[in-house]
């Protein structure tokens, strides 16, 4: 059996390369070189490594516009020296937002296309409504400056440190370590096509067995490789990331015998998530089923046809993984609705103490009111669905065709 591609080898940086806004560029570069070496080692072993990344510690103290700009510039330069393609600038906790504005965050992300950033809107059982309002403001600013940049920003809730997948990733600031995210949807889909599972229990077992096989192959190589470099191995995020040619939606339809968005979808999501969370390996991050609407052709079609919407995706998140990911919103969406969607996600996360995030793909106010217009290769552009006549599973945003 061929191994799943590696979506991300992420080295989580320690606090000691950051002193406030100042960055030890040489130190960042040294860690970046280690990350690249680990990625190269995987490639020599026959694995396809898509990205090597660095992740910075979360920020708790008030951060200014100048602080953000200086930190971003130093991090980007360290990545450039090491040949690392992208980095997480930080996760800003609510206490860090007192001295900055949404426009400051948007400015940095637009200026540095290799950087990602998150705002923490819930930890434990508490939702920070000011942080949710701030996050909605960043999304609006990005939509009007460069709507593609919203792919690199998220509002996160109860996501732990050292996750490999962006944009929610941030390090714990302790000893440097590595985490890995796999793009395992292709392997799952191949198994399901070859031998469709019988019932939801079969879907759970197929998922568990496939991911265990994949993770065992990587663990045997990664753990000693990290030790050789003096790095911790934080673990895997076994969430099965999709790709343009492999759909998690198609896998769910085969595994559950359903059409995505129709009755049985939530039960299928729960069954597959049970398999993901029972792999018995060191895991970090979301460790659950991800449903990125605009990065998966089956999910995108279901949204365009009105079979799923913001409410239904959030309902599925109650039993699966990442939350509201790459949700398409026309530019006419009221700002209070953008914030309300973030607060809905945060409330669900706080209620069940589970990692969720909101990555809302808000179009510019003067954008096409009929369809999305994103340029990124991995995105499936769709027509916005017709206005919903009920509040059931349809979209919360209403927009004339």
């Amino acid at each position: 059996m061929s191994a799943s591609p590696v979506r991300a080898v992420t080295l989580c940086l320690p606090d000691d390369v950051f002193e406030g806004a100042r960055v030890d560029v040489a130190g960042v570069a040294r860690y970046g070189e280690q990350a690249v070496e680990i990625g190269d080692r995987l490639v020599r072993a026959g694995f396809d490594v898509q990205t090597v990344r660095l992740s910075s510690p979360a920020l708790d103290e008030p951060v200014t516009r100048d602080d953000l700009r200086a930190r971003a510039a130093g991090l980007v330069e360290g990545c450039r020296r090491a040949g690392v393609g992208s980095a997480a600038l930080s996760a800003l906790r609510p206490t860090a937002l007192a001295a900055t504005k949404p426009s400051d965050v948007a400015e940095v992300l637009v200026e540095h296309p290799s950087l990602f950033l998150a705002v923490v809107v819930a930890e434990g059982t508490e939702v920070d409504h000011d942080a949710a309002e701030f996050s909605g403001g960043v999304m609006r600013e990005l939509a009007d400056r460069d709507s593609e940049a919203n792919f690199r920003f998220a509002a996160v809730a109860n996501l732990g440190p050292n996750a490999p997948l962006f944009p929610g990733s941030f390090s714990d600031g302790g000893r440097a370590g590595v985490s890995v995210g796999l793009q395992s949807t292709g392997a799952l889909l191949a198994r399901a096509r070859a031998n469709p599972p019988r019932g939801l229990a079969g879907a759970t077992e197929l998922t568990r067995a496939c991911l265990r096989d994949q993770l065992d192959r990587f663990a045997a190589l990664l753990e000693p490789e990290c030790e050789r470099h003096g790095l911790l191995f934080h673990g895997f995020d076994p969430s099965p990331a999709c790709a343009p040619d492999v759909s998690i939606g198609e896998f769910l339809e085969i595994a559950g015998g359903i059409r995505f968005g129709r009755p049985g979808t939530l039960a299928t999501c729960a069954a597959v998530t049970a398999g993901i969370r029972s792999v018995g390996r060191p895991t970090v991050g979301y460790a659950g089923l991800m449903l990125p609407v605009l990065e998966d052709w089956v999910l995108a079609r279901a949204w365009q046809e009105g079979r799923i919407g913001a409410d239904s995706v959030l309902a599925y998140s109650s039993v699966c993984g990442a939350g509201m990911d790459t949700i398409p919103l026309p530019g006419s969406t009221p700002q209070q609705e953008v914030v309300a969607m973030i607060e809905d996600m945060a409330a669900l996360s706080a209620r069940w103490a589970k990692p969720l995030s909101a990555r809302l793909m808000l179009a510019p106010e003067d954008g096409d009111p009929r369809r999305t217009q994103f340029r990124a290769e991995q995105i499936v552009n769709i027509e916005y669905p017709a206005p919903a006549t009920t509040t059931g599973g349809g979209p919360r945003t209403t927009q004339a065709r």
Side-chain angles (χ1 to χ4, degrees):
M1 181 186 66
S2 62
S4 296
V6 177
R7 169 63 70 89
V9 174
T10 302
L11 190 146
C12 302
L13 295 166
D15 279 324
D16 61 22
V17 296
F18 299 95
E19 293 182 10
R22 298 182 62 185
V23 179
D24 175 3
V25 174
V28 170
R30 285 194 298 271
Y31 284 117
E33 288 165 359
Q34 289 184 310
V36 170
E37 288 177 15
I38 292 171
D40 288 345
R41 177 69 181 87
L42 287 170
V43 171
R44 291 196 300 274
F47 300 108
D48 176 17
V49 177
Q50 296 182 349
T51 62
V52 174
R53 304 168 168 179
L54 299 180
S55 183
S56 307
L59 289 173
D60 299 283
E61 299 298 320
V63 59
T64 68
R65 172 181 179 272
D66 289 342
D67 292 337
L68 279 176
R69 290 178 60 83
R71 187 180 177 99
L75 187 58
V76 167
E77 176 59 19
C79 288
R80 186 196 66 78
R81 294 184 188 183
V84 171
S86 59
L89 180 59
S90 182
L92 302 178
R93 291 197 167 96
T95 49
L97 303 177
T100 191
K101 303 190 297 291
S103 58
D104 299 331
V105 172
E107 179 183 83
V108 167
L109 288 174
V110 171
E111 183 177 351
H112 298 288
S114 64
L115 295 184
F116 294 71
L117 187 138
V119 169
V120 177
V121 296
E123 290 188 287
T125 60
E126 298 296 323
V127 175
D128 193 293
H129 299 284
D130 290 338
E133 185 86 29
F134 187 98
S135 298
V138 174
M139 293 172 183
R140 178 67 68 181
E141 288 279 347
L142 289 173
D144 291 335
R145 293 167 184 250
D146 178 3
S147 58
E148 306 284 330
N150 262 317
F151 285 105
R152 296 183 284 112
F153 175 78
V156 299
N158 284 305
L159 178 64
N162 306 320
L165 300 177
F166 287 7
S169 177
F170 60 95
S171 79
D172 61 13
R175 181 178 160 194
V178 170
S179 59
V180 172
L182 302 187
Q183 189 165 295
S184 55
T185 296
L188 288 167
L189 188 54
R191 284 202 184 192
R193 285 171 173 169
N195 188 18
R198 295 183 179 180
L200 295 181
T204 299
E205 180 52 38
L206 182 153
T207 302
R208 179 190 301 116
C210 181
L211 292 180
R212 278 182 176 172
D213 289 345
Q214 299 292 322
L215 295 179
D216 282 348
R217 299 183 65 184
F218 286 104
L221 179 61
L222 278 168
E223 291 175 0
E225 188 68 14
C226 287
E227 184 176 355
R228 185 174 74 85
H229 285 277
L231 300 169
L232 297 175
F233 178 62
H234 293 304
F236 298 98
D237 189 334
S239 306
C242 64
D245 58 338
V246 286
S247 163
I248 192 64
E250 182 182 354
F251 170 70
L252 291 167
E253 290 190 334
I254 296 173
I258 57 164
R259 191 177 189 209
F260 196 88
R262 298 302 187 201
T265 300
L266 190 146
T268 302
C269 289
V272 170
T273 299
I276 296 168
R277 293 187 173 167
S278 60
V279 294
R281 303 295 181 268
T283 61
V284 290
Y286 296 101
L289 180 62
M290 291 185 171
L291 302 174
V293 172
L294 288 185
E295 295 186 44
D296 184 293
W297 65 269
V298 171
L299 306 184
R301 182 180 62 190
W303 187 284
Q304 178 173 284
E305 295 175 358
R307 283 183 278 122
I308 62 173
D311 289 344
S312 52
V313 170
L314 194 63
Y316 305 148
S317 295
S318 69
V319 297
C320 62
M324 308 178 75
D325 197 12
T326 64
I327 300 294
L329 299 177
S332 60
T333 306
Q335 185 62 15
Q336 64 266 29
E337 187 166 328
V338 175
V339 174
M341 292 172 71
I342 297 169
E343 292 183 318
D344 282 351
M345 175 279 297
L348 182 63
S349 172
R351 175 62 180 84
W352 298 112
K354 62 182 300 176
L356 295 175
S357 62
R359 189 165 51 145
L360 309 181
M361 303 311 302
L362 182 62
E365 292 188 271
D366 60 355
D368 190 333
R370 298 166 298 175
R371 63 178 290 110
T372 62
Q373 295 181 306
F374 296 108
R375 301 181 302 274
E377 184 178 340
Q378 74 271 26
I379 295 306
V380 181
N381 282 303
I382 63 170
E383 294 182 2
Y384 294 114
T389 56
T390 71
T391 59
R396 297 175 57 173
T397 301
T398 57
Q399 173 65 46
R401 295 289 288 270

